[in-house]
């Protein structure tokens, strides 16, 4: 086991043993290769650098209570990267190549998977980069696929802590027929300014509304939104929301708990009617929302500083599967052979 201060790990890059790479050229992908090199050499006129023809993924591997290392739903991340590649006209990595690269990167960096008990994990970052050199705005037929990893700390060091979020219409994250439904780097570039403003004002996240009407809830920072009321798990549906794999898993767990699941447009006016609300994603699983403040209208909705019962149960059920404390009855994890 590496000599790392697991307890105080944050969400930062830590150098590990190897990363995986494959190259697409002349219509075919190369074999995966593994290297300790952290750098890529790139021509200054490479498409991704100028036109943002690039996408990525984020997923985690966990060391469980039984000592086994499990990767969570990597096949779903593979499918989502394929969808991103299609929309950006990039060569698609096969599901097999994607999952093999993730598996091998965990296996060959097994010493960097945090021990059980710290709430920490090994974060995997697959990236697909348009690597064609040129000046014109056109599809990149050449691409580089990389999977690297980094140990990351518990999102909540001292138990779940509800967050404050702000509605700010100064910047939309994604257009209705844009790239909001895929994991393109440009979506994050276009939410930096509002994110920074929110932090300056003392909020954890921006709640983005639909760009066309500013009437419906889209996302909560780099996470999906859900609300709970009257036995219903309600989450927004829109063509510009990234389909979160955590949200997909929570919907299954919610149904399993006997809740009714609704995925539909959620008007911002509905916020006040929820008993509980949260942001969900790989980073935190669930960040319960304490309060939402609308910068434009001055309206404020409070859910309280205690974690809601339903949010807590969903969180525990998902983490129990990830950390091997409960049976993986949906077949969501792959155990890495050591
Ligand atoms: C914009 C956005 N929405 C939602 C999510 C949550 O997706 P997932 O649960 O697959 O991590 C992410 C990534 O974590 C994201 O970047």
């Amino acid at each position: 086991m590496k000599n790392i201060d697991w307890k105080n790990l944050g969400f930062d890059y830590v150098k590990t043993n190897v990363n995986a790479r494959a190259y697409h050229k002349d219509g075919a992908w190369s074999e995966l290769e593994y290297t300790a090199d952290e750098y890529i050499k790139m021509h200054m006129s490479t498409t991704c650098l100028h036109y943002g023809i690039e996408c990525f993924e984020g997923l985690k591997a966990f060391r469980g209570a039984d000592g086994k290392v499990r990767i969570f739903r990597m096949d779903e991340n593979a499918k989502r990267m394929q969808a991103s590649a299609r929309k950006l006209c990039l060569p698609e990595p096969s599901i097999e190549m994607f999952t093999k690269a993730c598996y091998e990167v965990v296996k060959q960096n097994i010493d960097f998977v945090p021990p059980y008990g710290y709430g920490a994990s090994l974060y995997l970052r697959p990236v697909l980069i348009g690597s064609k050199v040129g000046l014109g705005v056109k599809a990149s037929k050449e691409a580089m696929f990389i999977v690297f990893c980094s140990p990351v700390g518990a999102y909540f060091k001292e138990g779940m802590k509800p967050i404050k979020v702000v509605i700010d219409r100064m910047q939309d994250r994604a257009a209705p027929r844009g790239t909001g439904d895929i994991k393109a780097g440009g979506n994050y570039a276009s939410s930096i300014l509002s994110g920074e403003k929110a932090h300056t004002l003392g909020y954890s996240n921006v709640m983005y509304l639909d760009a066309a009407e500013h009437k419906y809830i889209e996302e909560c920072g780099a996470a999906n939104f859900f609300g709970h009321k009257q036995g219903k798990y309600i989450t927004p549906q829109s063509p510009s929301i990234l389909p979160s794999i955590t949200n997909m898993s929570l919907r299954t767990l919610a149904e399993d708990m006997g809740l009714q699941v609704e995925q539909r447009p959620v008007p911002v006016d509905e916020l006040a009617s929820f008993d509980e609300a949260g942001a969900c994603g790989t980073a935190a699983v669930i960040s319960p929302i304490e309060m939402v403040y609308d910068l434009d209208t001055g309206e404020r909705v409070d859910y309280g500083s205690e974690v809601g019962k339903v949010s807590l149960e969903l969180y525990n059920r998902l983490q129990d599967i990830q950390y091997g404390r409960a049976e993986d009855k949906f077949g969501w994890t792959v155990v890495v052979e050591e």
Side-chain angles (χ1 to χ4, degrees):
M1 204 56 80
K2 289 279 157 189
N3 190 15
I4 291 177
D5 182 6
W6 306 109
K7 194 160 179 269
N8 292 309
L9 271 174
F11 190 77
D12 285 308
Y13 176 77
V14 173
K15 183 175 172 8
T16 59
N17 299 330
V18 290
N19 59 85
R21 298 177 185 193
Y23 305 88
H24 191 277
K25 218 174 167 185
D26 303 325
W29 281 103
S30 69
E31 285 295 312
L32 281 165
E33 51 190 61
Y34 302 91
T35 172
D37 191 355
E38 297 169 275
Y39 290 87
I40 48 175
K41 193 168 180 194
M42 206 174 254
H43 191 283
M44 61 191 169
S45 195
T46 306
T47 340
C48 67
L49 297 176
H50 303 254
Y51 307 126
I53 306 177
E54 177 274 347
C55 60
F56 66 100
E57 275 301 327
L59 64 155
K60 283 179 173 176
F62 303 83
R63 190 172 288 279
D66 56 0
K68 290 184 183 163
V69 172
R70 292 173 177 80
I71 312 178
F72 188 68
R73 303 198 84 170
M74 61 177 167
D75 50 331
E76 290 299 333
N77 290 87
K79 284 190 240 163
R80 195 168 65 184
M81 178 165 267
Q82 288 188 324
S84 297
R86 283 194 294 275
K87 207 164 199 181
L88 297 170
C89 301
L90 276 169
E92 275 179 52
S94 67
I95 305 273
E96 191 196 359
M97 183 174 91
F98 184 102
T99 53
K100 185 171 177 211
C102 291
Y103 186 93
E104 278 301 319
V105 163
V106 176
K107 193 174 167 78
Q108 296 188 36
N109 291 300
I110 207 84
D111 285 354
F112 289 91
V113 184
Y116 178 72
Y118 293 95
S121 55
L122 187 73
Y123 182 77
L124 298 174
R125 171 52 63 85
V127 205
L128 180 65
I129 303 170
S131 55
K132 181 92 179 138
V133 174
L135 268 186
V137 181
K138 55 182 176 215
S140 175
K141 297 226 178 314
E142 289 174 16
M144 195 188 289
F145 172 67
I146 304 174
V147 179
F148 65 87
C149 66
S150 187
V152 297
Y155 193 87
F156 298 110
K157 299 247 187 275
E158 284 137 23
M160 285 168 99
K161 195 173 173 311
I163 56 166
K164 296 185 172 78
V165 303
V166 67
I167 297 174
D168 186 356
R169 294 165 186 78
M170 60 112 60
Q171 190 175 39
D172 298 317
R173 195 190 78 92
R177 292 171 199 82
T179 53
D181 60 337
I182 61 163
K183 217 162 159 67
N187 296 336
Y188 300 82
S190 62
S191 52
I192 291 283
L193 184 62
S194 48
E196 289 293 303
K197 183 177 161 194
H199 290 153
T200 308
L201 295 173
Y203 297 93
S204 304
N205 268 333
V206 180
M207 182 174 282
Y208 293 102
L209 305 184
D210 75 291
E213 294 183 272
H214 288 158
K215 217 170 131 183
Y216 299 95
I217 301 167
E218 291 259 299
E219 302 223 41
C220 201
N224 278 182
F225 171 85
F226 73 89
H228 173 263
K229 64 178 171 189
Q230 297 145 6
K232 289 184 202 157
Y233 176 97
I234 300 167
T235 190
Q237 187 160 43
S238 139
S240 41
I241 290 178
L242 186 78
S244 152
I245 293 156
T246 312
N247 193 358
M248 187 195 297
S249 311
L250 294 177
R251 293 197 298 273
T252 302
L253 293 173
E255 265 172 6
D256 203 45
M257 280 159 58
L259 299 175
Q260 205 179 316
V261 172
E262 285 182 9
Q263 198 174 9
R264 57 162 170 83
V266 178
V268 69
D269 296 342
E270 198 173 334
L271 276 175
S273 69
F274 292 125
D275 303 321
E276 295 177 33
C280 61
T282 295
V285 179
I286 290 176
S287 297
I289 296 175
E290 175 180 342
M291 101 54 170
V292 186
Y293 181 70
D294 189 324
L295 268 189
D296 299 285
T297 64
E299 276 172 46
R300 174 187 165 135
V301 178
D302 280 284
Y303 299 104
S305 54
E306 296 287 312
V307 182
K309 245 176 56 197
V310 173
S311 301
L312 188 62
E313 170 139 21
L314 285 167
Y315 176 85
N316 286 337
R317 283 192 183 217
L318 190 58
Q319 289 256 285
D320 283 349
I321 293 174
Q322 292 173 328
Y323 283 110
R325 295 185 296 247
E327 183 206 345
D328 177 15
K329 65 178 183 180
F330 306 104
W332 286 342
T333 62
V334 169
V335 172
V336 177
E337 298 299 331
E338 290 182 61

